[in-house]
Amino acid sequence: MSLRNTPIKRKLMAILLLTSGVVVALTCAAFIAAEFLTFRQTTLRQLATIGQVIAANSAAALAFDNPGDANETLAALRAERHVVAASLYDKDGKLFSKYPANLAAGDFPATPGKDGYRFEHSYLVGFQPVAHRDNQRLGTLYLKSDLEVMYERFRLYGGIAILVIVVSFLAAYTLSNVLQQQISQPILALAGTAKAISDRRDYSVRAKKLGQDELGLLTDAFNQMLDQIHEQNNALREKEERVRAMNVELEQRVRKRTAQLELANQELEQFAYVASHDLQEPLRMVSSYTQLLEQRYHDQLDDDAREFIAYAVDGATRMQRLISDLLELSRVGTRGKPLSPVDVHEVLGTVRVNLSPAIETAGAVVTNGELPTVMADATQLGQLLQNLISNAIKFHGAGRPHVHVRAVESAAEWVFSVHDDGIGMAPEYFKRIFIIFQRLHSKAEYPGTGIGLAICQRIVERHGGRIWVESELGKGSIFYFTIPKQKAN
């Protein structure tokens, strides 16, 4: 029987009752066992005494071969109602006389057994020697007694034991019902206080102390703990109020700063428009008039002059390209379109068309695996793939360049890769190449502004993904980027 989920009052009651019940039951069992052993010995001695008397009175009948006297002697056993059978055997072991006379000879042992008395089944049986005064053996007496007297005694003892146990249980129940309250009442008071505190969150409640024992000390410790919790709770409330006030102030600052940033972004967009129009227009004029100067006065210019004009035109062209790339970088976050489902196959097809001149010039091969539909800005995703594939074609090795685009699905995102077999790069440059204006080669070797990969990183971050590279010198590079399956809020 488990008492784990039983109320403490019932636990104490059950413990007291079980303890007292076990003690009383063991006491009664010990008493009955002792009485059983004692009464067995007493019964055996009584039958042995009867046997000695009958044997002494039967000696003459056996000595003079007088069965009548023997039958009269055995008939005296009628006074012993528990002796159910008796018989005399002569010195040759033959049945000489029996009691009661109406029992058949087959109900008696065929021959005498070993002298002595013993318990067999539900009877006490014994063989008593019959002898002269000079100890000459004349025969053997057989006695058989039932144990009804012992059973009656034990039925009486059993009734007394049951009565004692019942009375003990009633007394134990009455006492335990009174005494257990000395233990359960303080504990229940503590439990009630704890429940009231838990329900109302009121740490000012205190448990009532009902004594100076261990439970009283426990009540004191419980109340001290409540004092500490109450103080800490008050301090925490004060801190929460201060934090709440600071949060309000911080939110106001954030809203103010956000408004300032929005204004700054608007001014930056306006500046980008001005830069796009007002800065590039003078450069186009410088480039156009310098080229016109070279055409009209070609015959009058020497080689140095023509070379200087070429430098001026090239510088203006590179400046225009640099301004254009800077504008693209600034517009990634400000001019991006809302994310929507985009078929990457279609985007890659558009990129192939845009890069067809470069592909044909380099003799490049651009292949792809199965590509998914993702949540993205189609224009920016196309710009991302175009920059990565364009770089793969630009930095090709001695052979015909091969670029492969593939996508692998994971639990929360798509991992795209652009693999090429170009010149590769050393590991120390893996992070540097994504920084604006960082170049690994001179402009004479490979043209460009050094902004393309920075734009790629900005686009990937705007989509909530990551971008990185794995490469080995002379063996090509693999650019990886991820796009989450769902746009992060």
Side-chain angles (χ1 to χ4, degrees), residues 160-181:
I160 294 174
I162 292 174
L163 180 62
V164 170
I165 291 174
V166 171
V167 172
S168 299
F169 261 83
L170 292 175
Y173 177 80
T174 303
L175 290 174
S176 62
N177 193 34
V178 175
L179 296 178
Q180 58 88 20
Q181 294 182 6

Side-chain angles (χ1 to χ4, degrees), residues 151-445:
Y151 295 150
E152 290 177 356
R153 178 71 60 88
F154 284 113
R155 281 193 290 270
L156 175 63
Y157 287 164
I160 294 174
I162 292 174
L163 180 62
V164 170
I165 291 174
V166 171
V167 172
S168 299
F169 261 83
L170 292 175
Y173 177 80
T174 303
L175 290 174
S176 62
N177 193 34
V178 175
L179 296 178
Q180 58 88 20
Q181 294 182 6
Q182 302 296 321
I183 300 175
S184 63
Q185 188 174 359
I187 296 177
L188 291 175
L190 284 175
T193 303
K195 187 175 186 306
I197 293 171
S198 176
D199 292 341
R200 301 198 302 265
R201 302 290 181 183
D202 182 7
Y203 295 101
S204 62
V205 178
R206 296 294 178 268
K208 183 179 180 181
K209 186 176 180 180
L210 299 176
Q212 300 296 331
D213 57 359
E214 290 83 355
L215 290 175
L217 296 177
L218 177 62
T219 304
D220 289 337
F222 181 75
N223 288 333
Q224 291 175 4
M225 180 185 67
L226 289 178
D227 290 337
Q228 296 176 0
I229 294 175
H230 186 60
E231 293 175 0
Q232 294 175 358
N233 196 40
N234 290 336
L236 182 60
R237 284 199 184 97
E238 293 177 0
K239 290 182 180 180
E240 288 178 350
E241 291 296 331
R242 290 197 296 269
V243 170
R244 190 176 294 109
M246 293 174 63
N247 285 339
V248 171
E249 182 181 357
L250 181 59
E251 289 176 359
Q252 292 175 351
R253 291 182 180 180
V254 169
R255 284 195 293 268
K256 182 178 179 181
R257 184 60 178 169
T258 301
Q260 293 174 349
L261 290 176
E262 290 177 352
L263 180 61
N265 285 336
Q266 293 175 0
E267 292 174 351
L268 181 60
E269 289 183 5
Q270 184 64 28
F271 170 77
Y273 174 78
V274 172
S276 174
H277 184 273
D278 295 348
L279 292 181
Q280 292 195 58
E281 184 60 28
L283 289 175
R284 282 194 292 268
M285 290 179 63
V286 170
S287 177
S288 299
Y289 280 105
T290 303
Q291 290 175 349
L292 182 61
L293 179 63
E294 194 274 336
Q295 291 174 4
R296 288 189 178 183
Y297 300 100
H298 180 76
D299 296 335
Q300 300 176 27
L301 299 175
D302 57 12
D303 292 338
D304 288 339
R306 285 191 290 272
E307 185 178 0
F308 295 156
I309 291 173
Y311 287 152
V313 172
D314 181 64
T317 302
R318 286 191 288 108
M319 180 61 75
Q320 286 179 312
R321 188 180 304 115
L322 178 60
I323 293 174
S324 177
D325 288 347
L326 285 172
L327 289 174
E328 288 295 334
L329 180 63
S330 67
R331 289 173 176 172
V332 169
T334 59
R335 296 291 180 90
K337 298 177 182 178
L339 304 188
S340 60
V342 174
D343 187 346
V344 184
H345 272 294
E346 295 182 1
V347 174
L348 184 59
T350 303
V351 170
R352 281 196 179 97
V353 173
N354 295 340
L355 293 177
S356 57
I359 293 173
E360 293 175 1
T361 300
V365 177
V366 179
T367 59
N368 63 274
E370 187 65 27
L371 299 176
T373 296
V374 297
M375 293 294 292
D377 181 334
T379 301
Q380 290 185 352
L381 181 59
Q383 186 178 9
L384 169 63
L385 291 173
Q386 185 166 317
N387 286 356
L388 294 178
I389 295 172
S390 175
N391 282 349
I393 295 172
K394 181 195 302 184
F395 298 103
H396 67 80
R400 183 181 183 186
H402 178 210
V403 184
H404 183 71
V405 181
R406 66 191 295 260
V408 177
E409 183 179 11
S410 67
E413 61 188 5
W414 285 96
V415 181
F416 292 85
S417 62
V418 179
H419 185 285
D420 66 66
D421 54 1
I423 61 175
M425 69 185 78
E428 58 265 27
Y429 300 119
F430 287 176
K431 293 184 179 179
R432 177 181 169 186
I433 59 174
F434 294 103
I435 301 174
I436 188 171
F437 299 134
Q438 295 295 316
R439 296 174 54 88
L440 305 185
H441 307 278
S442 66
K443 296 176 182 178
E445 293 178 297

